Amino acid sequence: MASSVIHSPSTSPSSSTPFYSHTKFSKVCNFTQNAKILSPSSLFGKTLTIITNDLYSKPMNKKKSSILVKCSVSSPALPAALLFDCDGVLVDTEKDGHRVSFNDTFTERGLGVSWDVDLYGELLKIGGGKERMTTYFNQTGWPEKAPSDDAERKEFVASLHKRKTELFMTLIEKKLLPLRPGVAKLIDQALAKGVKVAVCSTSNEKAVSAIVSCLLGPERAEKMQIFAGDVVPKKKPDPAIYTLASTTLGVDPASCIVIEDSAIGLAAAKAAGMKCVVTKSGYTAEENFENADAVFDCIGDPPQERFNLDFCGSLVAKQLAS
């Protein structure tokens, strides 16, 4: 396994003094293939001595020579906050949760509307359930039972969404939809290190709270903040929800890590000036995530862990250094 440290001496070395001690870093010095690599936590507070022969592009006296470099190792970086999207990130809720609840609501109201799997996947490009229904009805025609007045239509959609949320919460309370792998692990790692944790979602606040309290448990829930639904006037891909979260939590956006599963969520996080890790979900696997800082199929639990809090810290360190 190879690794590297970064070192930049303030003066050029002399042949008589091959030992240099500096704390500013800018040039990469490679470890040898058989070097023993320690974790950042094991190095914290200690001094590392490295022998390298490639610190300078021009070898001293035209001969390869070893230089002893003493590097002080600082504390591993930690995010100030982890901000999770809800649907598709905490739980893969869309296909067998929200879609089913929308259809059950349409059936109860006798609207003659049903969203199949593919259609709902297209509708997910619109942030927010009420906005999703409004766009669909505007494009395909409003049901006969819907009012014609714009203000009354808004109330009509709100009532449909309220009933849909009730049906969805029943699914969550029965624990018919499980947490995605690694979610509880990553949240526990963050809370144990004093990292703030929040959920930022376009979904109804009651639905998000149900997922957090029922599936993550009350002990975790009481340590997490929820920003959801109509708490902001514009929904993802607008960055408002993430900007509100960083302001409320009192943290620098550059120190936040967002966990998202969709292109619109990624766009919102980036517009808010945050690093974003994508964990693909059932509906979003083929979306374009080229602007993401990392993309995985899930967070993952050991021994199939994809990433952890240390990885998130490395992204923060990169963000602050850039």
Side-chain angles (χ1 to χ4, degrees):
M1 176 181 180
S3 187
S4 63
V5 294
I6 297 178
H7 174 74
S8 176
S10 58
T11 59
S12 300
S14 67
S15 58
S16 60
T17 56
F19 184 89
Y20 301 89
S21 177
H22 300 275
T23 56
K24 288 188 176 181
F25 302 98
S26 67
K27 186 173 178 64
V28 172
C29 310
N30 294 324
F31 282 100
T32 58
Q33 185 66 25
N34 60 354
K36 182 179 181 181
I37 309 302
L38 303 176
S39 67
S41 59
S42 68
L43 292 175
F44 175 49
K46 296 184 175 67
T47 299
L48 181 64
T49 301
I50 304 167
I51 297 176
T52 179
N53 61 4
D54 66 344
L55 184 56
Y56 302 97
S57 58
K58 294 182 179 181
M60 292 179 295
N61 301 325
K62 298 182 179 181
K63 295 180 181 179
K64 289 185 177 181
S65 60
S66 295
I67 298 172
L68 203 58
V69 183
K70 191 175 183 180
C71 304
S72 297
V73 180
S74 61
S75 173
L78 285 174
L82 290 186
L83 307 179
F84 291 82
D85 178 40
C86 182
D87 299 303
V89 172
L90 300 182
V91 186
D92 205 346
T93 54
E94 299 293 6
K95 180 170 70 73
D96 298 319
H98 288 294
R99 185 185 68 87
V100 170
S101 299
F102 273 117
N103 285 339
D104 287 347
T105 300
F106 298 152
T107 299
E108 282 186 0
R109 299 293 180 90
L111 301 184
V113 174
S114 180
W115 289 346
D116 63 28
V117 172
D118 291 338
L119 172 59
Y120 192 66
E122 289 298 312
L123 291 171
L124 284 175
K125 296 176 182 177
I126 304 163
K130 293 190 291 292
E131 292 80 0
R132 209 166 289 148
M133 283 188 285
T134 300
T135 300
Y136 174 79
F137 292 145
N138 282 336
Q139 291 178 348
T140 64
W142 285 77
E144 290 183 4
K145 294 186 177 182
S148 57
D149 178 75
D150 287 343
E152 291 180 350
R153 281 181 171 178
K154 188 174 182 179
E155 293 180 4
F156 173 75
V157 167
S159 70
L160 293 177
H161 195 259
K162 180 181 178 181
R163 178 54 179 157
K164 170 260 169 186
T165 299
E166 292 171 351
L167 295 174
F168 176 78
M169 288 175 63
T170 299
L171 292 177
I172 297 300
E173 290 166 359
K174 291 180 179 180
K175 298 185 177 181
L176 297 177
L177 299 171
L179 287 171
R180 294 192 69 193
V183 167
K185 173 214 69 179
L186 184 57
I187 290 174
D188 287 344
Q189 288 175 347
L191 294 176
K193 293 289 186 179
V195 175
K196 297 179 180 181
V197 179
V199 179
C200 301
S201 174
T202 60
S203 291
N204 179 276
E205 190 275 336
K206 289 183 178 180
V208 176
S209 295
I211 288 175
V212 172
S213 60
C214 293
L215 300 184
L216 285 169
E219 290 186 7
R220 294 187 185 98
E222 68 181 10
K223 300 174 184 176
M224 299 168 59
Q225 286 194 242
I226 293 173
F227 303 90
D230 298 323
V231 68
V232 290
K234 293 183 179 180
K235 298 184 179 180
K236 302 173 188 177
D238 190 276
I241 192 77
Y242 287 122
T243 300
L244 174 65
S246 64
T247 301
T248 304
L249 296 174
V251 295
D252 183 353
S255 297
C256 296
I257 298 292
V258 174
I259 315 295
E260 271 285 357
D261 76 307
S262 68
I264 62 171
L266 169 61
K270 284 300 183 180
M274 300 176 180
K275 288 288 186 181
C276 184
V277 179
V278 169
T279 56
K280 295 180 179 181
S281 63
Y283 269 120
T284 67
E286 303 304 319
E287 291 186 11
N288 185 349
F289 299 121
E290 63 180 7
N291 292 329
D293 296 284
V295 180
F296 300 93
D297 59 342
C298 66
I299 298 171
D301 288 305
Q304 283 82 39
E305 180 182 80
R306 273 57 161 182
F307 69 96
N308 56 22
L309 187 64
D310 285 343
F311 177 81
C312 295
S314 71
L315 294 180
V316 167
K318 181 180 179 181
Q319 171 89 330
L320 296 177
S322 61

